[in-house]
Amino acid sequence: MKKVEKKEETVEKIEKMRHSLAHVLAAAVQEMYPEAKFGMGPAVENGFYYDIDFGATKIAESDLPKIEKRMKKIIARKFKMVKMAVKREEALKWAKENGQNFKKELIQDLAKDEEISFYLMTNVEEKDFRKACEAAEFVDLCKGPHLESLGEIGSFRLTKVAGAYWRADEKREMLTRIYGVAFSTEEELNNFITQQEEAKARDHRKLGKELDLFCFSDLVGSGLPLFTPRGTALREMLNAFAQSYREKNGYQKVCIPHIANVSLYKTSGHFEKFPELMRFVSSESGDELALKPVNCPHHSQIYASQPRSYKDLPMKLLETTMVYRDERKGELGGLSRVRAITQDDSHVFCTDAQVEQIFGELIASAKDLYKRVDMKLKLRLSFRDDGEGYIGDEKMWEKAQTSIEKMAKKFKMDYFVGIGEAAMYGPKMDFMAVDAMGREWQLATVQLDYAMPKRFGLEYTAEDGSKATPIMIHCALIGSIERFMSVFIEHTAGWFPFWSAPEQVRIVTVNDKVGEYVEKICKVLNGVVLDEPVRENHLRYSVDTTADSLGKKIKRGTGLKIPMMLIIGPQDAECNEVSVRRHEMGLSGKQVEEKVKLGDLAKYIRENAQR
């Protein structure tokens, strides 16, 4: 009878297979490049990698097929993965004799009395470590675990080459990182590769350039995107969309400066939390200032600017503004991770009795917002772990975490708990949006904060005349606009919903004989204003009157993924109509071609704006 593996067993086996493949990769490299020095080679999500010093030899992706071929030859010999434990002295001797300085460093970092394990790729039974190493195909310092035999390995492929600093330290050696992916079956591998190819086609960096949305400049600096008119139109629509939900619930706009005295962040606790804080000293006053990494301390001072009563609560503030963080250069990537981060931020100061209502409003807003952009939501309750870096006492944290989980249950949210994912001042509801590729992104967040109001000494006069400390709720519905844009671009593959498209309509002329009729069409378009889901959304359109052929004009508009083109020729002018070519929302949206009377054009656009 065939054994049925449990899901946990399958996951563990795949993890072992990927880890074993990292060793097979290293073994193949050692055969082909005997002078190679090895760093670390773990299993990672969907595959594995190994960091290797090839010396003067340059490895490119064109070298991967031959390395992969050598790996398959090694796997075919079905070596066993044998674990052997030795003392520190023996381990250091092995590293020195084999010239593996990176392994030597790892061994030296281990406790002196710790028994050190190696994995040997071998088919020889030998208990003596030195003799076993001599007979083995490959030996590596490793805790494991691994498959018992390479014969259990499924399907894999080497995918790319990248640079990686040893131990992620920019001051250390730059190694070559070879990545691979691995799955139990060839079918799973092929499905994954197909999905990855689709992801490349949707890459927001590629589409951002093709659709003329944003750019970068070395003179401006890494991680500081510049948005074109088209990209700015998209940003503004997304922001208006997100903030409209809070405006409906009585949030009021505020505006704060982009710098502050460092003492503000020392009081809030962010000074120690953000080592990437960008600081400078005023040459005029000598004050130590910083570019703001967050907005909440500033908003707390708006609250503190005058006495507050329970009658003033909840006090709801919102602001879309940039914060700045000195992220590591190697971690920056397109719009996904930047140094200038635009947040659709909001903060509520309220009583304990009002917390549930505020959370209910924000949860309902998040659900509706992501439904509108066709993304499913998962909820992570982000709680603290036992580590340092949190502010507030344990009693406060226990109360906040209990409260936030109670609300998740009350509002019937399907959630899971993420230990160690909390903000420094309190637990969070992090909404994980699932895009068209099935990938999860943490975007919206609602955070419960008992700590910061106390640190700033915020108060209000309670109904009985006593002084009480308000509770602070932090919320961003799309989070970083830059990050949301990167997800949104890839989710839609650049075919944005009509209401958010940077250019919604393009008029394409067949020849130069329809100028007067085009002017009539423009008058109609100037009067079209959409109110769903963003109010006062004036139509964004252009006219292509270039001397290019009609085919070139249509191709240009399609390349920019403009959802609607109005193709105008003499016959259209004569019949007082327009030839519409419309792309329905989404990558799989079909092309629709139809004739529309000029008098019905405004109504037609409004009716099709949500399709």
Side-chain angles (χ1 to χ4, degrees):
M1 185 175 180
K2 186 177 179 181
K3 179 185 175 184
V4 178
E5 290 184 337
K6 295 180 180 178
K7 184 177 180 181
E8 295 81 5
E9 292 175 343
T10 303
V11 170
E12 184 181 0
K13 186 174 180 180
I14 292 172
E15 188 83 1
K16 287 179 179 179
M17 179 185 74
R18 290 168 177 164
H19 196 177
S20 298
L21 273 164
H23 282 232
V24 176
L25 167 59
V29 166
Q30 188 178 67
E31 285 185 10
M32 300 170 69
Y33 308 93
E35 300 304 315
K37 311 299 179 187
F38 299 99
M40 289 186 280
V44 292
E45 184 180 11
N46 299 315
F48 58 94
Y49 70 78
Y50 216 118
D51 290 340
I52 304 168
D53 182 359
F54 285 90
T57 303
K58 300 297 181 185
I59 298 298
E61 290 187 5
S62 57
D63 295 307
L64 298 185
K66 62 183 179 182
I67 297 174
E68 190 177 301
K69 186 177 180 180
R70 186 65 62 95
M71 289 174 68
K72 289 177 179 178
K73 285 183 178 180
I74 293 171
I75 292 169
R77 295 173 66 185
K78 298 183 179 180
F79 289 110
K80 293 179 181 178
M81 296 295 289
V82 178
K83 182 178 181 180
M84 296 190 78
V86 300
K87 292 185 178 180
R88 179 186 176 90
E89 294 77 14
E90 186 69 35
L92 285 170
K93 190 174 182 180
W94 171 87
K96 183 178 180 181
E97 289 177 352
N98 289 277
Q100 296 295 338
N101 293 331
F102 299 117
K103 300 295 183 181
K104 179 182 176 182
E105 184 179 325
L106 294 173
I107 294 166
Q108 288 172 331
D109 287 348
L110 298 173
K112 291 184 179 180
D113 59 347
E114 186 173 342
E115 197 171 48
I116 297 168
S117 65
F118 286 78
Y119 271 85
L120 284 66
M121 202 178 291
T122 185
N123 281 331
V124 176
E125 291 187 16
E126 176 59 64
K127 293 183 179 180
D128 181 81
F129 178 67
R130 293 182 66 81
K131 290 181 180 179
C133 288
E134 290 173 5
E137 174 74 11
F138 183 70
V139 181
D140 204 356
L141 173 75
C142 187
K143 284 186 176 181
H146 287 279
L147 298 172
E148 292 183 6
S149 167
L150 300 187
E152 300 176 58
I153 285 177
S155 298
F156 75 96
R157 188 171 301 178
L158 299 184
T159 54
K160 65 178 179 177
V161 175
Y165 290 107
W166 171 236
R167 305 186 90 167
D169 186 343
E170 294 176 4
K171 297 177 182 178
R172 297 297 303 274
E173 299 89 337
M174 172 64 80
L175 306 182
T176 298
R177 178 172 291 181
I178 298 179
Y179 284 95
V181 294
F183 293 88
S184 298
T185 66
E186 188 73 17
E187 182 182 7
E188 289 175 295
L189 176 65
N190 289 335
N191 288 341
F192 177 79
I193 290 171
T194 299
Q195 187 183 53
Q196 291 302 102
E197 289 171 353
E198 175 67 18
K200 282 183 182 179
R202 292 171 178 254
D203 191 312
H204 76 278
R205 292 164 294 189
K206 173 179 173 288
L207 289 174
K209 186 174 182 178
E210 292 175 359
L211 303 181
D212 189 24
L213 300 175
F214 60 89
C215 62
F216 289 89
S217 163
D218 290 339
L219 287 175
V220 174
S222 301
L224 300 170
L226 306 171
F227 291 90
T228 64
R230 299 176 69 83
T232 300
L234 177 60
R235 275 172 58 94
E236 289 182 349
M237 280 298 102
L238 292 175
N239 176 58
F241 177 47
Q243 294 294 29
S244 68
Y245 285 92
R246 280 166 288 205
E247 289 172 352
K248 291 174 187 174
N249 287 317
Y251 287 70
Q252 294 181 301
K253 291 181 179 180
V254 295
C255 183
I256 61 175
H258 289 243
I259 62 174
N261 196 301
V262 165
S263 60
L264 178 73
Y265 306 118
K266 288 181 178 178
T267 303
S268 69
H270 289 96
F271 183 80
E272 294 181 1
K273 178 69 174 177
F274 284 91
E276 64 269 35
L277 193 69
M278 297 186 193
R279 290 182 284 165
F280 60 97
V281 176
S282 167
S283 59
E284 180 66 29
S285 64
D287 291 340
E288 188 179 8
L289 304 169
L291 291 173
K292 61 185 170 78
V294 289
N295 304 308
C296 41
H298 296 251
H299 287 185
S300 76
Q301 296 310 288
I302 293 176
Y303 178 93
S305 64
Q306 57 181 281
R308 307 291 176 184
S309 160
Y310 72 95
K311 295 179 180 179
D312 301 318
L313 305 183
M315 180 178 176
K316 301 176 177 180
L317 308 179
L318 71 83
E319 179 176 19
T320 298
T321 182
M322 280 190 179
V323 297
Y324 306 89
R325 297 174 190 174
D326 194 14
E327 305 284 2
R328 288 185 176 183
K329 190 173 181 179
E331 295 178 353
L332 301 172
L335 299 182
S336 299
R337 197 175 188 115
V338 294
R339 285 173 169 158
I341 307 159
T342 313
Q343 296 178 328
D344 71 313
D345 217 351
S346 61
H347 296 95
V348 179
F349 300 89
C350 64
T351 67
D352 194 50
Q354 294 167 335
V355 168
E356 191 172 292
Q357 178 190 345
I358 302 301
F359 264 77
E361 291 172 356
L362 293 171
I363 290 169
S365 295
K367 283 182 175 179
D368 191 67
L369 186 153
Y370 285 92
K371 184 179 179 181
R372 292 273 191 140
V373 295
D374 197 27
M375 291 190 201
K376 294 180 180 178
L377 281 183
K378 294 182 179 179
L379 181 65
R380 180 182 71 199
L381 301 187
S382 297
F383 290 172
R384 66 170 292 172
D385 55 22
D386 295 329
E388 299 179 355
Y390 301 102
I391 61 177
D393 57 45
E394 289 186 12
K395 187 176 180 181
M396 179 211 78
W397 274 90
E398 186 177 344
K399 178 183 178 182
Q401 291 183 173
T402 299
S403 177
I404 215 168
E405 187 163 14
K406 180 181 177 183
M407 286 184 284
K409 291 176 179 176
K410 176 179 175 61
F411 295 109
K412 298 179 181 179
M413 299 296 291
D414 182 16
Y415 69 90
F416 66 97
V417 176
I419 301 297
E421 299 291 341
M424 69 174 191
Y425 43 75
K428 304 183 291 176
M429 282 186 178
D430 285 326
F431 294 87
M432 320 297 286
V434 183
D435 70 8
M437 299 287 290
R439 300 170 299 184
E440 293 182 12
W441 307 92
Q442 194 273 299
L443 298 171
T445 182
V446 184
Q447 306 168 7
L448 183 59
D449 181 0
Y450 290 100
M452 199 175 296
K454 285 186 178 180
R455 290 178 74 95
F456 280 108
L458 303 185
E459 292 181 337
Y460 68 91
T461 303
E463 196 168 357
D464 62 3
S466 64
K467 295 295 182 182
T469 302
I471 295 163
M472 193 172 183
I473 297 172
H474 310 239
C475 176
L477 285 180
I478 60 177
S480 157
I481 292 181
E482 290 77 17
R483 181 173 168 80
F484 185 88
M485 279 183 69
S486 74
V487 175
F488 192 57
I489 290 167
E490 295 184 8
H491 173 63
T492 61
W495 284 108
F496 304 118
F498 188 90
W499 62 267
S500 65
E503 184 178 346
Q504 296 161 311
V505 177
R506 177 168 290 190
I507 300 172
V508 178
T509 58
V510 173
N511 54 39
D512 59 2
K513 298 178 181 179
V514 291
E516 289 186 10
Y517 186 56
V518 167
E519 287 181 10
K520 291 182 180 180
I521 296 171
C522 289
K523 285 183 180 179
V524 172
L525 299 186
N526 289 338
V528 177
V529 181
L530 307 177
D531 282 326
E532 279 293 326
V534 178
R535 289 178 57 82
E536 298 181 5
N537 187 353
H538 292 262
L539 199 70
R540 295 177 291 281
Y541 73 91
S542 69
V543 183
D544 188 345
T545 57
T546 61
D548 291 334
S549 68
L550 179 61
K552 279 189 177 180
K553 292 180 181 181
I554 292 173
K555 184 178 180 181
R556 187 157 52 232
T558 303
L560 288 170
K561 302 192 175 183
I562 298 167
M564 188 180 293
M565 282 187 276
L566 309 181
I567 302 166
I568 310 302
Q571 188 173 348
D572 296 292
E574 186 179 331
C575 297
N576 210 37
E577 61 186 15
V578 294
S579 298
V580 177
R581 177 173 292 197
R582 174 170 55 83
H583 188 286
E584 294 195 336
M585 192 173 77
L587 182 63
S588 60
K590 62 183 180 179
Q591 289 280 0
V592 177
E593 296 185 21
E594 49 196 338
K595 296 282 188 178
V596 178
K597 289 292 183 182
L598 182 60
D600 297 329
L601 183 58
K603 180 181 177 183
Y604 175 87
I605 290 173
R606 291 191 185 97
E607 287 178 348
N608 287 281
Q610 300 300 318
R611 297 179 70 176

